[in-house]
């Protein structure tokens, strides 16, 4: 029998990419699912999880929904066409959903953020969250609650 190679194997299942920073800085009020228009080997980079959602946000221009500053690392095995990493990409949603989001963003001063990228039935989907920014004291309060829960869990595990 031959030895197994020491090279890192590619994942057999697609990755789900989450925007954890946005979850810390914003309260998500509701989420919607949207498709995304990709070019070339961007899907393969997404499959490998080579995406950064940290600075990304969504905007509505005209009657279309766009994602801005989504950083998709170029696929290293692609031969010719490499699209720009941080280009603006179109999101696919029904017109009624886009109009509803546009109304809520305008009226209530909310923002649209991509919270997750994932594969569903072989297609890339973006979970767009309607979010309200947190104040600094809200963030501190959330961290304190999390630490309290962790402390309780530690005490429970020590009793056993």
């Amino acid at each position: 029998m031959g030895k197994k190679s020491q090279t890192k194997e590619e994942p057999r299942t697609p990755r789900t990419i989450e925007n954890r920073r946005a979850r810390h800085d914003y309260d998500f009020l509701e989420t919607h699912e949207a498709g995304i228009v990709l070019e070339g080997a961007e899907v393969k980079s997404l499959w490998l999880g080579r995406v950064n959602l940290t600075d990304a946000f969504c905007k509505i221009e005209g009657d279309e929904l766009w994602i801005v500053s989504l950083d998709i690392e170029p696929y290293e095995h692609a031969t010719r066409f490499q699209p720009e990493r941080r280009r603006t990409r179109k999101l696919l949603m029904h017109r009624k959903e886009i109009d509803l989001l546009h109304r809520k963003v305008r009226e209530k001063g909310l923002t649209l953020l991509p919270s997750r990228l994932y594969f569903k039935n072989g297609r890339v989907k973006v979970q767009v969250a309607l979010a309200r920014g947190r104040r600094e004291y809200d963030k501190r309060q959330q961290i304190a609650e999390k630490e309290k829960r962790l402390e309780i869990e530690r005490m429970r595990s020590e009793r056993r």
Side-chain angles (χ1 to χ4, degrees):
M1 285 197 192
K3 291 183 179 179
K4 290 186 179 180
S5 65
Q6 297 295 326
T7 59
K8 190 175 184 181
E9 288 188 28
E10 298 296 325
R12 302 221 185 275
T13 59
R15 302 268 174 94
T16 297
I17 295 95
E18 298 215 15
N19 192 350
R20 290 182 294 202
R21 183 69 193 173
R23 195 165 292 284
H24 176 71
D25 291 339
Y26 295 89
D27 284 323
F28 292 168
L29 305 177
E30 45 183 84
T31 59
H32 299 271
E33 184 178 79
I36 185 169
V37 177
L38 299 171
E39 294 181 2
E42 290 180 325
V43 177
K44 292 182 181 182
S45 288
L46 285 171
W47 183 276
L48 297 173
R50 298 199 172 114
V51 182
N52 188 357
L53 280 172
T54 305
D55 298 330
F57 64 96
C58 299
K59 66 179 179 178
I60 298 173
E61 284 186 358
D63 292 332
E64 297 177 334
L65 183 61
W66 299 87
I67 187 167
V68 181
S69 283
L70 175 65
D71 185 15
I72 300 177
E73 189 176 308
Y75 184 63
E76 64 234 17
H77 301 296
T79 54
R80 295 190 181 164
F81 179 68
Q82 292 285 348
E84 188 179 330
R85 285 179 74 140
R86 297 179 76 93
R87 66 185 178 84
T88 302
R89 294 169 178 88
K90 186 176 181 178
L91 294 178
L92 306 170
M93 282 181 104
H94 291 284
R95 172 68 35 98
K96 288 181 181 179
E97 288 179 299
I98 294 174
D99 291 342
L100 178 71
L101 289 175
H102 188 59
R103 207 168 339 135
K104 287 184 178 180
V105 166
R106 244 191 343 213
E107 289 173 4
K108 300 178 183 177
L110 304 175
T111 187
L112 290 171
L113 295 173
S115 59
R116 275 183 24 178
L117 271 169
Y118 56 95
F119 280 81
K120 181 178 179 183
N121 299 330
R123 302 193 189 280
V124 179
K125 300 292 183 178
V126 179
Q127 187 178 40
V128 178
L130 194 61
R132 174 178 288 122
R134 283 191 180 147
R135 302 279 198 268
E136 193 63 37
Y137 59 84
D138 290 336
K139 293 179 196 176
R140 286 194 300 261
Q141 183 178 5
Q142 181 191 17
I143 291 169
E145 289 172 3
K146 183 178 177 182
E147 287 176 358
K148 197 180 292 183
R149 277 196 313 266
L150 288 173
E151 186 64 32
I152 291 170
E153 287 298 319
R154 275 190 220 115
M155 291 174 70
R156 285 183 184 164
S157 64
E158 288 175 2
R159 288 182 193 171
R160 292 180 190 169

